[in-house]
Amino acid sequence: MFDWRWDFTWQILPRLVIATGNTLMAAGFGYAIAVVLGLVFALAQRTPSRTLTFVVREAVEFIRSTPLVLQIFFVFYVGPQFGLRLSPWTAGMIAIGLHYAAYLSEVYRGGLDSVPKGQWEAATSLNLSTTRTYFRVIIPQALPPSLAGMGNYLVGIFKDTPMLSVIGVAELMHTATAIGSETYRYLEPYTLVGLIFLAISLPTAAGIRVFERWVRRKLGLS
Amino acid sequence: MSYVEFLSQYGDRILSGTLVTMVLTVLAAALAVAIALAAGLMRLAPNVLVRGTATVYIEIFRGTSLLVQLYWIFFVLPLFGITLEKFTAGFVAVGMNLGAYGAEVVRGAILSVPKGQWEAALAINMSPATRMRRVILPQALLIMLPAWGNLLIELLKGTALVALIAVADLMFQVKQINGTTFLSAETFGTALIIYYILARFMITPFMRWLERFMLRKVGRV
Amino acid sequence: MTDEDLSGFPLALEGPDVPMVSFRTVTKRYGELVVLDALNLDVAEGEMVTVIGPSGSGKTTVLRMLMTLETINGGVIYVDGKPLTHMPRNGRLVRADSRHLRQMRSNIGMCFQHFNLFPHMTALENCMEGPVHVLGIPKAEARARSEELLDMVGMADKRDQHPSRLSGGQQQRVAIARALAMRPKVMLFDEVTSALDPEVIGEVTNVIRRLVAEHNLTMLMVTHQMGFAKDISDRVCFFYGGRIEEQGAPDELFGNPQKERTQQFLSAVKEAN
Ligand SMILES: Nc1ncnc2c1ncn2[C@@H]1O[C@H](COP(=O)(O)OP(=O)(O)OP(=O)(O)O)[C@@H](O)[C@H]1O
Ligand SMILES: [Mg+2]
């Protein structure tokens, strides 16, 4: 029953390791987009413009309520219909970045809302400018409560990268499937992919918890 | 082709896909809730072995991707003599994955029932099992309902992946239609809207109703 | 609100005895609720005025309007002769823009009931933040001055501690130093001892006593400590329902209150202690 072949394992491992690089790159790029765009979404909902707040709010809800894999297809295939061709990587990064930006904007919103009103008032009483208040007073305090959520979504985006395989991004899952269809062996490639994911996401999650405590201490919050 | 023509031609397939998605969601949700309760309680068990089993399960399913789990269950499990039909493999993978996330929600909710409740139950000499069933779980259920609302939406979204092992759900149908018509905006756009409607106008209101229902039941309106 | 008639209000207060703070028929509403009803109140330069009154009578609101944390619905507030809530434009008063508010706010400092120190900054950093980044004072100079102020409030040895490591009384003393570091002409104290344990209230009131004795600051203070108010105020205002019901020198107001509501309030407070 346990028909595990080690020679085959060693043979395919290099290809999987290279693909892991692509997976990490996809997660990294996607996360960078999400971190910045998420902040834009969160701050847009704090502007006095009700229309802007409403539109961004609804867009975030929509993105959060629909499947990422469908969004990936949508971004990749709808462009060409209107004469705009996107490479799998570009389409994938837009879709995954946008998807997680919606999630991160909620994390930021929670963090910003958790800063007590008195902090804004103290900043006003010291005549600090709005920019200075945001960057020196509010964001440093909004950050620690956001870190856990930000960390979760970093691991989350990493685990969602296999969906990029559906439009042909050569990440781990795509490579494992290719190996499977070439050799008709699925046990080793798919199991290895699972192990690689575990080996990266578990330590990352633990590392994030340590980092979170470190930041709190660094800011003198605990 | 106008959108109305598109709908009249492909509406049936989209509708049947939607129904399959809904059935998948219900079955996966039932499995997820059962697994979450079991694993969540096991995480709090005094026995190291029981606790360890639950922890390993949760870490494996939260530490890897749903897609990896789905492929593993569908393509690799048969090599161990367990062959699941694709529909079954689909909802089992989704249910097991979300069950692992749900287990942490269950555990958190149980732990956040105030200490006084545990002590009060002890004071009237309840056995641990009775205490959990009669005092702690009913209160924990209320605490965890909002989190389950989000989990169920994640679960609905997760079912879209079963299209990749050719279960004929909504995602699968629109992918097929797109393959023959190349009307990507119409096909994928329609599916996005249907998923949105299922999430926001069925799951969310249902969970709200359930919350109110539970609140009434424990007499806290 | 915008087409309000302000023609009766001068563009600036002039003359020999211009008050440091002047509320002219100031009205404040929250929806239907009228919190302050055409309030008139002048505070002279160097004067210490204490505001007392029952909960919800609008005491905090008076201070918050002066700190520009609340907008006003009617009337004009002047600080040092210049309008605070409004500004002169083409020979008439219009609502102050943010630039005017920023300029005028530099005259005023405030201490809050719950301190509102910045938790991620040390005591010294809290005090230096405004001087360095708002007033543009060189770091070394701001540091020297902040250390001096922390020394004055008896917190020199804790200057590198974060607020989470300080007791309430210590935090409030740092908050006073932080406000003073901006060199305001007017200081506002809103129940600065209400969130403190009884045994540390003295630390904070002693600092305020010193300020009154040694500095020529104009101060407006809300407090529930009648003994302290009696000791240190030049004048006490009793607020009731958004108006000044009675005001006068502390000896008169506490010793011989004229209005029935004042008498009721004072005897109720006395009973509670
Ligand atoms: N943001 C707000 N929205 C609505 N009403 C408010 C708001 N802030 C204050 N109020 C109301 O204004 C009135 C005056 O409040 P204020 O805080 O000035 O009272 P106070 O005299 O300081 O009372 P206390 O002694 O309890 O601090 C109260 O009735 C209060 O409920
Ligand atoms: Mg008050």
Side-chain angles (χ1 to χ4, degrees), chain C residues 20-78:
Chain C
M20 181 55 82
V21 173
S22 183
F23 288 81
R24 300 275 172 106
T25 62
V26 172
T27 300
K28 173 71 189 172
R29 284 186 299 265
Y30 288 112
E32 295 286 285
L33 178 72
V34 179
V35 179
L36 289 172
D37 187 11
L39 173 75
N40 285 297
L41 173 64
D42 283 1
V43 183
E45 187 176 356
E47 196 183 10
M48 161 59 120
V49 173
T50 299
V51 175
I52 61 171
S55 182
S57 57
K59 308 180 297 291
T60 297
T61 306
V62 168
L63 299 195
R64 289 173 59 84
M65 290 189 313
L66 197 48
M67 191 67 258
T68 70
L69 294 171
E70 303 285 350
T71 54
I72 68 175
N73 301 104
V76 177
I77 304 176
Y78 296 86

Side-chain angles (χ1 to χ4, degrees), chain B residues 1-18:
Chain B
M1 190 190 293
S2 78
Y3 188 60
V4 176
E5 283 167 352
F6 169 80
L7 278 187
S8 65
Q9 189 162 347
Y10 297 104
D12 289 351
R13 284 171 68 184
I14 292 177
L15 201 66
S16 92
T18 306

